[in-house]
């Protein structure tokens, strides 16, 4: 079985309505602004509260930095506006992170640490001190043994790509290429499959993961994003290994395709087949969509079959967010729309958008307030809705920041 039906829901029959979706984006932004506190920013949602600590998060993934960037992006796009002082607030967020880091200690981490916060700070202020600190942190994180995107170099090197795109400074390109060398040195023949993989040392387990959150897909994403900066031989090897790994690890059935969380011994207590951004077909599509469509017919077929899996499985029952929710899965459809030009994929993305709106309404009614985060909650949903309006496929905080 390529997915577990119990983890998914039947898609809503409510049709796409551009005007309603545009108004709903305004509703989300107004709710985010209403619940802003100048000292504590936004409350942590109970569903993001695994350890019972009701503190405030500052990170790009779960906290205030991600929400502030979302408000900035939506305003820049003309999708919604807010009266919050984003510039001064992000400075306070960084100070607050250093005083009380989300994970208990100050770490580089793109998603949960200082690199993500500093990138938003630089984006909003162009502070040279933030840029210099970013360069230091990204370089220091290169040898991180986690070997995955959440904590290690495959995440923080995305920061170097963003900074190079924004500034054109060669120091960011050099830093990106230093990260590439590290990834290349640790990308080795798998003991469990006929392909090259990275081994993760993560949360007490040593495992070869495949997904966008913690494994192969998340690691090749920055390589593919920066493929133009690689020499021709290395770029060719990159494309060949990506295709080889997808083919060697895929499960296919009835015109559908999905990938397990890992090959070889799994992390204890983990379900093998998921269909969400962090593990499974959605993250494979969004992470590898930058591999040129003209390069491999087999690759194109696999990504289309992955899209069919996401569609047949239906929206995720877990929620509507980016990491493991309906919006994150919907971005795979937007990627396939850009890749193929087939309106079917945009229509499917919009169907998931209408379902995500309903999921957000139900969750808001159940708790009495929103889920104020970029990767698990309302901020990411607002951007997904906007991209469904525009037919854009830019994954928040990865493709754009």
């Amino acid at each position: 079985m390529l997915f577990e039906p119990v983890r998914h829901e039947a898609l809503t029959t409510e049709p796409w309505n551009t005007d309603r979706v545009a108004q709903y984006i305004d509703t989300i932004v107004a709710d985010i602004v209403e619940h802003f506190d100048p000292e504590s920013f936004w409350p942590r949602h109970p569903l993001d509260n695994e350890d019972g600590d009701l503190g405030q998060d500052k990170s790009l993934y779960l906290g205030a930095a991600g929400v502030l960037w979302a408000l900035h992006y939506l305003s820049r796009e003309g999708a919604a506006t807010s009266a919050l002082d984003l510039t001064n607030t992000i400075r306070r967020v960084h100070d607050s992170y250093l005083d009380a880091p989300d994970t208990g200690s100050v770490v580089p981490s793109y998603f949960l640490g200082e690199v993500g916060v500093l990138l938003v700070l630089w984006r909003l202020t162009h502070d040279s001190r933030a840029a210099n600190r970013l360069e230091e942190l990204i370089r220091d994180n290169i040898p991180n043994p986690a070997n995955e995107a959440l904590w290690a170099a495959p995440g923080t090197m995305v920061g170097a790509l963003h900074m190079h795109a924004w500034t054109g400074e060669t120091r960011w390109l050099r830093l990106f290429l230093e990260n590439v060398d590290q990834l290349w040195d640790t990308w080795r023949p798998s003991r469990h499959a006929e392909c090259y993989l990275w081994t993760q040392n993560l949360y007490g387990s040593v495992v070869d993961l495949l997904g966008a959150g913690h494994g192969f897909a998340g690691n090749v994403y920055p390589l593919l994003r920066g493929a133009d900066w690689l020499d021709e031989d290395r770029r060719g090897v990159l494309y060949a290994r990506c295709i080889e790994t997808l083919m060697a690890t895929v499960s296919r059935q009835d015109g559908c395709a999905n990938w397990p969380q890992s090959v070889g011994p799994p992390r204890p207590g983990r379900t093998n087949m998921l269909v969400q951004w962090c593990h499974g077909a959605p993250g494979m599509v969004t992470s590898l969509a930058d591999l040129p469509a003209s390069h491999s017919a087999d690759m194109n077929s696999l990504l289309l079959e992955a899209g069919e899996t996401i569609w047949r499985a239906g929206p995720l029952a877990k929620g509507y967010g980016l990491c493991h929710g309906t919006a994150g899965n919907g971005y795979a459809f937007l990627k396939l729309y850009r890749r193929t030009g087939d309106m079917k994929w945009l229509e499917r993305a919009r169907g998931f958008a209408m379902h995500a709106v309903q999921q957000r309404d139900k969750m808001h009614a159940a708790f009495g307030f929103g889920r104020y985060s970029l990767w698990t909650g309302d901020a990411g949903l607002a951007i997904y809705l906007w991209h469904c309006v525009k037919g854009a496929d830019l994954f928040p905080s990865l493709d754009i920041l």
Side-chain angles (χ1 to χ4, degrees):
M1 184 178 293
L2 299 184
F3 62 90
E4 298 179 15
V6 69
R7 293 179 178 271
H8 299 268
E9 298 177 348
L11 182 67
T12 180
T13 57
E14 184 177 0
W16 171 259
N17 185 314
T18 299
D19 290 339
R20 187 193 168 203
V21 167
Q23 292 169 2
Y24 200 80
I25 294 170
D26 286 334
T27 298
I28 291 175
V29 169
D31 188 53
I32 289 173
V33 171
E34 180 183 348
H35 285 83
F36 172 74
D37 184 283
E39 300 300 323
S40 57
F41 314 120
W42 286 277
R44 179 180 294 165
H45 196 276
L47 295 177
D48 293 322
N49 186 24
E50 295 182 357
D51 58 8
D53 179 7
L54 294 177
Q56 284 73 40
D57 293 297
K58 278 75 70 172
S59 67
L60 185 64
Y61 178 92
L62 206 57
V67 178
L68 291 171
W69 172 76
L71 294 176
H72 164 76
Y73 176 75
L74 291 168
S75 177
R76 193 177 77 212
E77 287 283 296
T81 58
S82 75
L84 292 186
D85 182 349
L86 304 182
T87 300
N88 286 324
T89 302
I90 190 58
R91 294 187 189 278
R92 296 202 309 276
V93 167
H94 182 237
D95 290 341
S96 178
Y97 172 81
L98 294 177
D99 289 340
D102 298 10
T103 58
S105 59
V106 175
V107 292
S109 179
Y110 182 73
F111 290 98
L112 293 174
E114 191 179 2
V115 166
V117 177
L118 281 170
L119 281 164
V120 179
L121 194 159
W122 191 93
R123 189 72 164 125
L124 298 181
T125 68
H126 291 194
D127 188 322
S128 61
R129 293 168 299 177
N132 293 336
R133 175 67 174 159
L134 270 169
E135 183 179 14
E136 175 187 340
L137 289 172
I138 294 170
R139 180 169 284 113
D140 288 348
N141 203 41
I142 289 175
N144 190 314
N147 266 347
E148 49 80 72
L150 194 74
W151 301 103
T156 50
M157 70 191 289
V158 174
L161 282 172
H162 285 311
M163 290 298 292
H164 183 264
W166 296 335
T167 69
E169 295 176 2
T170 57
R171 62 170 165 162
W172 302 110
L173 176 56
R174 290 196 299 269
L175 184 55
F176 171 74
L177 292 174
E178 289 177 37
N179 277 267
V180 170
D181 287 340
Q182 168 68 13
L183 275 187
W184 219 264
D185 288 344
T186 54
W187 196 8
R188 297 170 183 166
S190 173
R191 299 161 294 166
H192 309 293
E194 295 296 320
C195 61
Y196 281 72
L197 287 173
W198 288 271
T199 296
Q200 284 72 41
N201 188 341
L202 190 66
Y203 307 132
S205 298
V206 177
V207 61
D208 294 352
L209 292 166
L210 296 176
H214 297 294
F216 158 78
N219 288 15
V220 297
Y221 169 78
L223 298 177
L224 291 168
R225 275 281 310 278
D228 287 346
W229 304 114
L230 308 181
D231 63 63
E232 186 176 353
D233 288 343
R234 180 168 278 188
R235 186 164 57 247
V237 172
L238 169 63
Y239 293 163
R241 285 186 183 179
C242 285
I243 296 164
E244 177 185 65
T245 299
L246 287 173
M247 298 298 294
T249 58
V250 70
S251 295
R252 305 171 93 168
Q253 181 179 336
D254 298 331
C256 295
N258 198 13
W259 289 263
Q261 289 194 49
S262 63
V263 297
R267 286 170 65 193
R270 297 288 170 167
T271 298
N272 197 37
M273 300 297 277
L274 296 172
V275 183
Q276 53 196 47
W277 176 84
C278 49
H279 296 289
M284 289 294 186
V285 174
T286 61
S287 296
L288 283 100
D290 281 326
L291 202 157
S294 60
H295 196 77
S296 169
D298 289 338
M299 167 84 170
N300 293 335
S301 295
L302 274 184
L303 295 185
L304 293 174
E305 290 176 24
E308 290 297 334
T309 300
I310 301 163
W311 179 247
R312 293 188 196 180
L316 277 160
K318 193 171 185 178
Y320 52 87
L322 298 177
C323 186
H324 34 258
T326 300
N329 284 17
Y331 268 106
F333 298 147
L334 292 175
K335 292 288 184 184
L336 292 172
Y337 172 60
R338 173 180 66 87
R339 198 173 171 88
T340 67
D342 187 342
M343 278 295 297
K344 171 180 74 175
W345 298 111
L346 179 57
E347 291 165 359
R348 289 179 172 184
R350 288 173 167 175
F352 269 41
M354 299 308 294
H355 193 94
V357 164
Q358 293 184 1
Q359 288 180 306
R360 191 257 178 192
D361 284 345
K362 290 176 183 177
M363 187 178 292
H364 196 283
F367 289 95
F369 55 91
R371 194 174 185 178
Y372 306 114
S373 66
L374 178 61
W375 272 82
T376 65
D378 295 358
L381 173 60
I383 295 175
Y384 175 64
L385 295 176
W386 176 246
H387 286 163
C388 284
V389 170
K390 304 298 288 185
D393 71 326
L394 301 173
F395 206 103
S397 76
L398 290 174
D399 300 334
I400 48 167
L401 190 66

